[in-house]
Amino acid sequence: MPPDKPRYRTYAHPAGGWGAAGATARALMQQSALTKGSRALLSMNQPGGFKCPSCAFPDPCKRQTLEFCEQGAKALAFEATKQRVTRAFFAQHSVTALRAQTDHWLEMQGRLTEPMRYDAATDHYVPISWDDAFALIGRHLRGLDTPHQAEFYTSGRTPNEVAFLWSVMVREFGTNNFPDCSNMCHEPTSRGLPPSIGIGKGTCRMEDFDSTEAIFIFGQNTGSNSPRMMTNLTEARRRGIPIIAINPMPERAMEQYTGPQDLVQMATFRHDVIASEFVRVRAGGDLALIKGMMKAIFERASAGEDALDQAFIDQHTVGIDAVRADISAQDWAEIVAHSGVTEDQIRRITDVYVRSNATMACFGMGLTQHQRGSQLLQQLCNLLFLRGNIGKPGAGIVPVRGHSNVQGDRTCGINDRPTPELLDAYQRVFGFDAPREDGHNVQKAVEAMYAGQARVFIGMGGNFARAVPDTDRTYAAMGKLDLTVGINTKLNRGHLIHGREALILPVIARSEVIRTAKGPQTLTIEDMIAKVTASRGVLEPPSDDCMAEVEIVCRIAMAALSETRTTWAAFAADYDLIRDKIAEVFSDIYVGFNDRLKAPEGFYLDVPPRRREFHTDSGKANFLVLDGLHADDPVDDPGMLRLLTVRSQDQFNTTIYSDNDRYRGVWGNRMVLFMNPEDRSARGLRNEQVIGLETIYDDGFTRRVTGLTVLDYPLTKGCVAGYYPELNSLIPNGYHDGISGTLAGKSIPVRVVP
Ligand code: SF4
């Protein structure tokens, strides 16, 4: 049946509310998981239950009976689905035929049920036994000239125990090639914050939302990407706390929000207005905006106002003079031009900031995905230091992380640039020579594929080929690999962009019970506030032929490491043993891991800046200078627009739940381009006209996407927005943050083409 004709109209309802309730019910029914799914949802994010496999937003201090949002429910519904991808399915569909299907169609096919091997002779995936699959992987890995020819990818869904064993296996194998999904999102957080505050993590906890006096949200679509945070924002607004939302793209949840679990609001169809002020900044204009706020503060302090927390600055920081000099040199007209925000509005939100004695600064990809994303975060730290907003109740920096254990994976060793001390710890605990040279993050792994240096790719979860930039070049390069392996719950495009040999290995999902000879096993997750919680599945896996991720890592290790002395089999049977080793390697933060895990609410890992302890080179919080006002290289082209790649409401990373994006008024089409009406008419285009986009980037490659329906949208002039992964082919792999390598997906220079 041909898909319905796309529809475009303004969404008239509040975000959340009945729309969210309806979407949740539809997802469960669509996946024939109403009973099973509803039962499991009662255990999601509850003590003794399992952690949501979607984003990394923490559980509240006081839980509700239903502790999940629409996105969490959708993730669970598609995990608990009755749909199955069986050997009959693969016999019916060739890989070439599957490639012609949409990402949403692939997602709808359901759960993988047994290991499959790609048969080049028939262009179909065919069944393979687990033993043969591991033997094939072992043969390829042992057959490499050097271990650095293999790329070991980690999805942010990967629990701590799996990530840790993955880090042990890969290092024992001899490389630090750890491309991981955080490289594409919060790597600037992990690389940019340590020089400023001594750690690459947020400094707030949930109780800070209860005592804060102001909340600034930079470049993050909270209502769609971390919906449970809307509860905290609603409570803050009802206390009269100002919430300043800064984004080129206005988002529905900031304008109108109804708590789906607020029975009075639901019954009366009422809503809250969340943002007390919306700041339509230009793409990358946050740097100039933040510098503008600092300039206003310095001016007020010079005028004798008590605008600075001088005690904090004197006692806990170094470097303010250089920053003051840099800011004083900035010209207001330049600040206004680069930020796209008026001086009046900058001064107005600065007034909110100065009148607050405790401010939280939350941020998402709108700050990180720029060529100077890491340094931009350091400027945000500078702003917080001026008023002592680190290490006190109600204040701090809040990277809003998008994948459930993306922070935990880094903490547990998934790091392409490990410190010598960390490598010493692996050597001390496991007795093998840890590789000392830095490895590959995502950007470098892709470059190694282009150069033909990579020969094997193994993906622990995720949808690498679809998530990374420069889609066309990457697809071509991955096709030349000797072996690609996808370790997943569901079929995705990554399985169809495969090497000469390829495997699909089906895993037991987060919501499902893991049983070994030692009985049911527990996994752990570290959320975005460094809280570690136990996760125990409650559902039965879709088939007896699905395997636990821990066992898969151990079996690959035993197949690839001919002389290993590591106790892989013991780890596969008893996850407490894995945690004991984590406690040995990370003895500064994970000592007594298993005992601490007995606490039903879990436990916090140490975040020293919370007590104003800064493990930086100066031993203090560092004010750092970043010259200029550009978050990205200027582009001299009159037709240039800055493209923001965004997620829709019915999407989680590269998982597409439907082709709808109701909050932005789109139904049934993902090939759309949101454009400011003035930019559209200036180019002689009509609303809903179909156009193409071309990247303005001089590296000898043409990057063009056509078939995009232009839709009027009130985003900042000079910016356009469209969905990833469809528009990833417009992002050059070389267009990334200089420090972290993170793709600069929020400011891609493009022009309209017929
Ligand atoms: S806010 Fe995030 S972690 Fe919480 S239920 Fe929703 S998707 Fe899951």
mmCIF file of all heavy atoms in Angstrom, residues 575-610:
data_model
loop_
_atom_site.group_PDB
_atom_site.id
_atom_site.type_symbol
_atom_site.label_atom_id
_atom_site.label_comp_id
_atom_site.label_asym_id
_atom_site.label_seq_id
_atom_site.Cartn_x
_atom_site.Cartn_y
_atom_site.Cartn_z
ATOM 1 N N TYR A 575 28.861 -12.082 36.288
ATOM 2 C CA TYR A 575 29.171 -10.677 36.036
ATOM 3 C C TYR A 575 29.758 -9.972 37.260
ATOM 4 O O TYR A 575 30.386 -8.916 37.136
ATOM 5 C CB TYR A 575 27.937 -9.937 35.527
ATOM 6 C CG TYR A 575 27.418 -10.408 34.187
ATOM 7 C CD1 TYR A 575 27.895 -11.564 33.570
ATOM 8 C CD2 TYR A 575 26.415 -9.709 33.533
ATOM 9 C CE1 TYR A 575 27.409 -11.997 32.338
ATOM 10 C CE2 TYR A 575 25.905 -10.139 32.298
ATOM 11 C CZ TYR A 575 26.411 -11.284 31.717
ATOM 12 O OH TYR A 575 25.906 -11.726 30.508
ATOM 13 N N ASP A 576 29.586 -10.542 38.463
ATOM 14 C CA ASP A 576 30.233 -9.959 39.642
ATOM 15 C C ASP A 576 31.743 -9.952 39.471
ATOM 16 O O ASP A 576 32.433 -9.020 39.890
ATOM 17 C CB ASP A 576 29.866 -10.755 40.911
ATOM 18 C CG ASP A 576 28.463 -10.425 41.398
ATOM 19 O OD1 ASP A 576 27.828 -9.526 40.797
ATOM 20 O OD2 ASP A 576 28.008 -11.074 42.368
ATOM 21 N N LEU A 577 32.264 -10.987 38.785
ATOM 22 C CA LEU A 577 33.715 -11.075 38.572
ATOM 23 C C LEU A 577 34.185 -9.941 37.667
ATOM 24 O O LEU A 577 35.276 -9.400 37.847
ATOM 25 C CB LEU A 577 34.072 -12.420 37.966
ATOM 26 C CG LEU A 577 33.705 -13.670 38.777
ATOM 27 C CD1 LEU A 577 34.064 -14.934 38.001
ATOM 28 C CD2 LEU A 577 34.386 -13.633 40.142
ATOM 29 N N ILE A 578 33.329 -9.553 36.728
ATOM 30 C CA ILE A 578 33.693 -8.448 35.829
ATOM 31 C C ILE A 578 33.777 -7.156 36.651
ATOM 32 O O ILE A 578 34.728 -6.381 36.536
ATOM 33 C CB ILE A 578 32.646 -8.285 34.708
ATOM 34 C CG1 ILE A 578 32.443 -9.578 33.929
ATOM 35 C CG2 ILE A 578 33.043 -7.150 33.764
ATOM 36 C CD1 ILE A 578 31.259 -9.541 32.958
ATOM 37 N N ARG A 579 32.789 -6.972 37.535
ATOM 38 C CA ARG A 579 32.768 -5.751 38.343
ATOM 39 C C ARG A 579 33.948 -5.712 39.314
ATOM 40 O O ARG A 579 34.485 -4.642 39.593
ATOM 41 C CB ARG A 579 31.422 -5.617 39.056
ATOM 42 C CG ARG A 579 30.283 -5.216 38.137
ATOM 43 C CD ARG A 579 28.985 -4.995 38.880
ATOM 44 N NE ARG A 579 28.315 -6.236 39.207
ATOM 45 C CZ ARG A 579 27.480 -6.864 38.374
ATOM 46 N NH1 ARG A 579 27.275 -6.383 37.149
ATOM 47 N NH2 ARG A 579 26.877 -7.983 38.729
ATOM 48 N N ASP A 580 34.371 -6.882 39.777
ATOM 49 C CA ASP A 580 35.567 -6.902 40.649
ATOM 50 C C ASP A 580 36.777 -6.374 39.891
ATOM 51 O O ASP A 580 37.589 -5.616 40.412
ATOM 52 C CB ASP A 580 35.838 -8.337 41.137
ATOM 53 C CG ASP A 580 34.835 -8.779 42.190
ATOM 54 O OD1 ASP A 580 34.174 -7.894 42.775
ATOM 55 O OD2 ASP A 580 34.682 -10.012 42.385
ATOM 56 N N LYS A 581 36.862 -6.744 38.601
ATOM 57 C CA LYS A 581 37.997 -6.286 37.790
ATOM 58 C C LYS A 581 37.875 -4.793 37.480
ATOM 59 O O LYS A 581 38.872 -4.063 37.466
ATOM 60 C CB LYS A 581 38.077 -7.081 36.486
ATOM 61 C CG LYS A 581 38.569 -8.505 36.660
ATOM 62 C CD LYS A 581 39.967 -8.559 37.207
ATOM 63 C CE LYS A 581 40.446 -9.994 37.402
ATOM 64 N NZ LYS A 581 41.686 -10.057 38.211
ATOM 65 N N ILE A 582 36.643 -4.340 37.252
ATOM 66 C CA ILE A 582 36.441 -2.903 37.022
ATOM 67 C C ILE A 582 36.927 -2.142 38.259
ATOM 68 O O ILE A 582 37.627 -1.129 38.158
ATOM 69 C CB ILE A 582 34.954 -2.600 36.729
ATOM 70 C CG1 ILE A 582 34.522 -3.214 35.394
ATOM 71 C CG2 ILE A 582 34.693 -1.093 36.737
ATOM 72 C CD1 ILE A 582 33.037 -3.054 35.072
ATOM 73 N N ALA A 583 36.614 -2.691 39.422
ATOM 74 C CA ALA A 583 37.033 -2.034 40.677
ATOM 75 C C ALA A 583 38.546 -2.027 40.820
ATOM 76 O O ALA A 583 39.123 -1.092 41.377
ATOM 77 C CB ALA A 583 36.388 -2.759 41.858
ATOM 78 N N GLU A 584 39.203 -3.037 40.270
ATOM 79 C CA GLU A 584 40.684 -3.088 40.340
ATOM 80 C C GLU A 584 41.313 -2.072 39.383
ATOM 81 O O GLU A 584 42.236 -1.350 39.743
ATOM 82 C CB GLU A 584 41.177 -4.489 39.991
ATOM 83 C CG GLU A 584 41.041 -5.529 41.097
ATOM 84 C CD GLU A 584 41.640 -6.867 40.644
ATOM 85 O OE1 GLU A 584 42.821 -6.847 40.189
ATOM 86 O OE2 GLU A 584 40.917 -7.888 40.674
ATOM 87 N N VAL A 585 40.783 -2.016 38.174
ATOM 88 C CA VAL A 585 41.374 -1.107 37.161
ATOM 89 C C VAL A 585 41.029 0.347 37.499
ATOM 90 O O VAL A 585 41.875 1.238 37.440
ATOM 91 C CB VAL A 585 40.875 -1.473 35.746
ATOM 92 C CG1 VAL A 585 41.298 -0.393 34.741
ATOM 93 C CG2 VAL A 585 41.418 -2.837 35.327
ATOM 94 N N PHE A 586 39.774 0.592 37.884
ATOM 95 C CA PHE A 586 39.335 1.958 38.199
ATOM 96 C C PHE A 586 39.171 2.096 39.706
ATOM 97 O O PHE A 586 38.095 2.418 40.219
ATOM 98 C CB PHE A 586 38.041 2.265 37.456
ATOM 99 C CG PHE A 586 38.162 2.111 35.964
ATOM 100 C CD1 PHE A 586 37.732 0.947 35.336
ATOM 101 C CD2 PHE A 586 38.743 3.094 35.202
ATOM 102 C CE1 PHE A 586 37.873 0.773 33.966
ATOM 103 C CE2 PHE A 586 38.884 2.944 33.827
ATOM 104 C CZ PHE A 586 38.461 1.779 33.205
ATOM 105 N N SER A 587 40.264 1.798 40.410
ATOM 106 C CA SER A 587 40.194 1.726 41.882
ATOM 107 C C SER A 587 39.894 3.088 42.509
ATOM 108 O O SER A 587 39.429 3.169 43.636
ATOM 109 C CB SER A 587 41.515 1.196 42.422
ATOM 110 O OG SER A 587 42.568 1.941 41.850
ATOM 111 N N ASP A 588 40.107 4.179 41.748
ATOM 112 C CA ASP A 588 39.842 5.505 42.323
ATOM 113 C C ASP A 588 38.347 5.814 42.383
ATOM 114 O O ASP A 588 37.902 6.605 43.207
ATOM 115 C CB ASP A 588 40.564 6.588 41.520
ATOM 116 C CG ASP A 588 40.197 6.515 40.037
ATOM 117 O OD1 ASP A 588 39.721 5.421 39.611
ATOM 118 O OD2 ASP A 588 40.342 7.511 39.321
ATOM 119 N N ILE A 589 37.539 5.162 41.545
ATOM 120 C CA ILE A 589 36.102 5.501 41.523
ATOM 121 C C ILE A 589 35.187 4.301 41.735
ATOM 122 O O ILE A 589 34.050 4.451 42.164
ATOM 123 C CB ILE A 589 35.700 6.199 40.198
ATOM 124 C CG1 ILE A 589 36.104 5.344 38.990
ATOM 125 C CG2 ILE A 589 36.226 7.595 40.120
ATOM 126 C CD1 ILE A 589 35.529 5.870 37.680
ATOM 127 N N TYR A 590 35.685 3.094 41.465
ATOM 128 C CA TYR A 590 34.784 1.935 41.496
ATOM 129 C C TYR A 590 35.113 0.938 42.610
ATOM 130 O O TYR A 590 34.603 -0.180 42.607
ATOM 131 C CB TYR A 590 34.819 1.205 40.137
ATOM 132 C CG TYR A 590 33.678 1.582 39.207
ATOM 133 C CD1 TYR A 590 33.906 2.151 37.961
ATOM 134 C CD2 TYR A 590 32.365 1.355 39.582
ATOM 135 C CE1 TYR A 590 32.863 2.489 37.110
ATOM 136 C CE2 TYR A 590 31.304 1.680 38.748
ATOM 137 C CZ TYR A 590 31.565 2.244 37.506
ATOM 138 O OH TYR A 590 30.514 2.572 36.672
ATOM 139 N N VAL A 591 35.913 1.378 43.610
ATOM 140 C CA VAL A 591 36.261 0.426 44.675
ATOM 141 C C VAL A 591 34.980 -0.090 45.343
ATOM 142 O O VAL A 591 34.007 0.664 45.496
ATOM 143 C CB VAL A 591 37.212 1.101 45.693
ATOM 144 C CG1 VAL A 591 36.521 2.267 46.393
ATOM 145 C CG2 VAL A 591 37.760 0.098 46.685
ATOM 146 N N GLY A 592 34.928 -1.421 45.640
ATOM 147 C CA GLY A 592 33.754 -2.003 46.306
ATOM 148 C C GLY A 592 32.515 -1.994 45.438
ATOM 149 O O GLY A 592 31.375 -1.910 45.933
ATOM 150 N N PHE A 593 32.706 -2.105 44.129
ATOM 151 C CA PHE A 593 31.616 -1.982 43.170
ATOM 152 C C PHE A 593 30.423 -2.871 43.538
ATOM 153 O O PHE A 593 29.293 -2.389 43.708
ATOM 154 C CB PHE A 593 32.143 -2.321 41.772
ATOM 155 C CG PHE A 593 31.260 -1.980 40.604
ATOM 156 C CD1 PHE A 593 31.797 -1.989 39.301
ATOM 157 C CD2 PHE A 593 29.921 -1.669 40.749
ATOM 158 C CE1 PHE A 593 30.999 -1.677 38.199
ATOM 159 C CE2 PHE A 593 29.119 -1.377 39.657
ATOM 160 C CZ PHE A 593 29.657 -1.381 38.381
ATOM 161 N N ASN A 594 30.665 -4.173 43.700
ATOM 162 C CA ASN A 594 29.540 -5.090 43.918
ATOM 163 C C ASN A 594 28.794 -4.781 45.218
ATOM 164 O O ASN A 594 27.567 -4.852 45.279
ATOM 165 C CB ASN A 594 30.051 -6.533 43.916
ATOM 166 C CG ASN A 594 30.251 -7.047 42.493
ATOM 167 O OD1 ASN A 594 29.360 -6.922 41.649
ATOM 168 N ND2 ASN A 594 31.419 -7.579 42.215
ATOM 169 N N ASP A 595 29.522 -4.401 46.252
ATOM 170 C CA ASP A 595 28.845 -4.059 47.522
ATOM 171 C C ASP A 595 27.996 -2.808 47.358
ATOM 172 O O ASP A 595 26.829 -2.758 47.757
ATOM 173 C CB ASP A 595 29.885 -3.843 48.638
ATOM 174 C CG ASP A 595 30.504 -5.180 49.033
ATOM 175 O OD1 ASP A 595 29.844 -6.208 48.759
ATOM 176 O OD2 ASP A 595 31.639 -5.185 49.565
ATOM 177 N N ARG A 596 28.562 -1.802 46.700
ATOM 178 C CA ARG A 596 27.834 -0.542 46.541
ATOM 179 C C ARG A 596 26.586 -0.743 45.683
ATOM 180 O O ARG A 596 25.587 -0.040 45.821
ATOM 181 C CB ARG A 596 28.755 0.506 45.909
ATOM 182 C CG ARG A 596 29.908 0.915 46.804
ATOM 183 C CD ARG A 596 31.036 1.546 46.015
ATOM 184 N NE ARG A 596 30.771 2.943 45.664
ATOM 185 C CZ ARG A 596 31.566 3.669 44.852
ATOM 186 N NH1 ARG A 596 32.635 3.076 44.276
ATOM 187 N NH2 ARG A 596 31.290 4.940 44.608
ATOM 188 N N LEU A 597 26.648 -1.781 44.810
ATOM 189 C CA LEU A 597 25.522 -2.016 43.896
ATOM 190 C C LEU A 597 24.313 -2.602 44.628
ATOM 191 O O LEU A 597 23.213 -2.632 44.110
ATOM 192 C CB LEU A 597 25.961 -2.971 42.778
ATOM 193 C CG LEU A 597 25.103 -3.024 41.525
ATOM 194 C CD1 LEU A 597 24.963 -1.653 40.887
ATOM 195 C CD2 LEU A 597 25.672 -4.021 40.530
ATOM 196 N N LYS A 598 24.550 -3.018 45.857
ATOM 197 C CA LYS A 598 23.429 -3.588 46.617
ATOM 198 C C LYS A 598 22.418 -2.497 47.001
ATOM 199 O O LYS A 598 21.254 -2.773 47.275
ATOM 200 C CB LYS A 598 23.954 -4.303 47.859
ATOM 201 C CG LYS A 598 24.828 -5.522 47.512
ATOM 202 C CD LYS A 598 25.140 -6.389 48.725
ATOM 203 C CE LYS A 598 25.955 -7.621 48.311
ATOM 204 N NZ LYS A 598 27.437 -7.443 48.538
ATOM 205 N N ALA A 599 22.859 -1.235 46.950
ATOM 206 C CA ALA A 599 21.935 -0.132 47.267
ATOM 207 C C ALA A 599 20.854 -0.075 46.185
ATOM 208 O O ALA A 599 21.182 0.056 45.009
ATOM 209 C CB ALA A 599 22.696 1.188 47.302
ATOM 210 N N PRO A 600 19.561 -0.206 46.524
ATOM 211 C CA PRO A 600 18.487 -0.254 45.512
ATOM 212 C C PRO A 600 18.519 0.965 44.575
ATOM 213 O O PRO A 600 18.235 0.853 43.383
ATOM 214 C CB PRO A 600 17.199 -0.248 46.334
ATOM 215 C CG PRO A 600 17.591 -0.370 47.762
ATOM 216 C CD PRO A 600 19.073 -0.208 47.883
ATOM 217 N N GLU A 601 18.950 2.108 45.107
ATOM 218 C CA GLU A 601 18.970 3.315 44.268
ATOM 219 C C GLU A 601 20.278 3.463 43.509
ATOM 220 O O GLU A 601 20.511 4.460 42.830
ATOM 221 C CB GLU A 601 18.726 4.557 45.144
ATOM 222 C CG GLU A 601 17.323 4.642 45.712
ATOM 223 C CD GLU A 601 16.274 4.784 44.599
ATOM 224 O OE1 GLU A 601 16.647 5.263 43.504
ATOM 225 O OE2 GLU A 601 15.127 4.346 44.804
ATOM 226 N N GLY A 602 21.224 2.501 43.678
ATOM 227 C CA GLY A 602 22.512 2.633 42.994
ATOM 228 C C GLY A 602 23.428 3.572 43.758
ATOM 229 O O GLY A 602 23.187 3.879 44.928
ATOM 230 N N PHE A 603 24.490 4.050 43.123
ATOM 231 C CA PHE A 603 25.441 4.927 43.800
ATOM 232 C C PHE A 603 26.065 5.895 42.805
ATOM 233 O O PHE A 603 26.003 5.698 41.596
ATOM 234 C CB PHE A 603 26.534 4.085 44.475
ATOM 235 C CG PHE A 603 27.350 3.258 43.524
ATOM 236 C CD1 PHE A 603 28.530 3.753 42.990
ATOM 237 C CD2 PHE A 603 26.952 1.981 43.151
ATOM 238 C CE1 PHE A 603 29.292 2.991 42.109
ATOM 239 C CE2 PHE A 603 27.702 1.202 42.282
ATOM 240 C CZ PHE A 603 28.885 1.711 41.752
ATOM 241 N N TYR A 604 26.639 6.974 43.355
ATOM 242 C CA TYR A 604 27.257 8.001 42.517
ATOM 243 C C TYR A 604 28.754 7.764 42.375
ATOM 244 O O TYR A 604 29.430 7.390 43.347
ATOM 245 C CB TYR A 604 27.039 9.390 43.135
ATOM 246 C CG TYR A 604 25.630 9.914 43.017
ATOM 247 C CD1 TYR A 604 24.758 9.862 44.108
ATOM 248 C CD2 TYR A 604 25.170 10.452 41.827
ATOM 249 C CE1 TYR A 604 23.457 10.330 44.013
ATOM 250 C CE2 TYR A 604 23.867 10.927 41.715
ATOM 251 C CZ TYR A 604 23.016 10.855 42.815
ATOM 252 O OH TYR A 604 21.722 11.314 42.707
ATOM 253 N N LEU A 605 29.276 8.001 41.174
ATOM 254 C CA LEU A 605 30.713 8.058 40.985
ATOM 255 C C LEU A 605 31.157 9.474 41.343
ATOM 256 O O LEU A 605 30.380 10.430 41.240
ATOM 257 C CB LEU A 605 31.078 7.728 39.540
ATOM 258 C CG LEU A 605 30.736 6.321 39.069
ATOM 259 C CD1 LEU A 605 31.069 6.159 37.591
ATOM 260 C CD2 LEU A 605 31.460 5.267 39.900
ATOM 261 N N ASP A 606 32.415 9.575 41.731
ATOM 262 C CA ASP A 606 32.915 10.867 42.206
ATOM 263 C C ASP A 606 33.020 11.887 41.083
ATOM 264 O O ASP A 606 33.498 11.577 39.989
ATOM 265 C CB ASP A 606 34.299 10.671 42.852
ATOM 266 C CG ASP A 606 34.774 11.948 43.529
ATOM 267 O OD1 ASP A 606 33.902 12.713 44.024
ATOM 268 O OD2 ASP A 606 36.006 12.189 43.534
ATOM 269 N N VAL A 607 32.555 13.086 41.343
ATOM 270 C CA VAL A 607 32.697 14.227 40.418
ATOM 271 C C VAL A 607 33.291 15.372 41.240
ATOM 272 O O VAL A 607 32.558 16.154 41.860
ATOM 273 C CB VAL A 607 31.335 14.612 39.795
ATOM 274 C CG1 VAL A 607 31.492 15.844 38.905
ATOM 275 C CG2 VAL A 607 30.748 13.451 38.994
ATOM 276 N N PRO A 608 34.619 15.436 41.333
ATOM 277 C CA PRO A 608 35.281 16.391 42.253
ATOM 278 C C PRO A 608 34.818 17.853 42.162
ATOM 279 O O PRO A 608 34.694 18.527 43.192
ATOM 280 C CB PRO A 608 36.763 16.237 41.883
ATOM 281 C CG PRO A 608 36.873 14.843 41.345
ATOM 282 C CD PRO A 608 35.583 14.594 40.625
ATOM 283 N N PRO A 609 34.507 18.399 40.963
ATOM 284 C CA PRO A 609 34.073 19.805 40.937
ATOM 285 C C PRO A 609 32.817 20.073 41.767
ATOM 286 O O PRO A 609 32.569 21.217 42.156
ATOM 287 C CB PRO A 609 33.801 20.059 39.440
ATOM 288 C CG PRO A 609 34.682 19.100 38.742
ATOM 289 C CD PRO A 609 34.675 17.866 39.606
ATOM 290 N N ARG A 610 32.056 19.021 42.103
ATOM 291 C CA ARG A 610 30.871 19.233 42.953
ATOM 292 C C ARG A 610 31.291 19.762 44.328
ATOM 293 O O ARG A 610 30.525 20.412 45.017
ATOM 294 C CB ARG A 610 30.077 17.933 43.123
ATOM 295 C CG ARG A 610 29.232 17.543 41.908
ATOM 296 C CD ARG A 610 28.330 16.360 42.215
ATOM 297 N NE ARG A 610 27.447 16.556 43.351
ATOM 298 C CZ ARG A 610 26.330 17.319 43.330
ATOM 299 N NH1 ARG A 610 26.020 17.976 42.220
ATOM 300 N NH2 ARG A 610 25.574 17.449 44.405
#
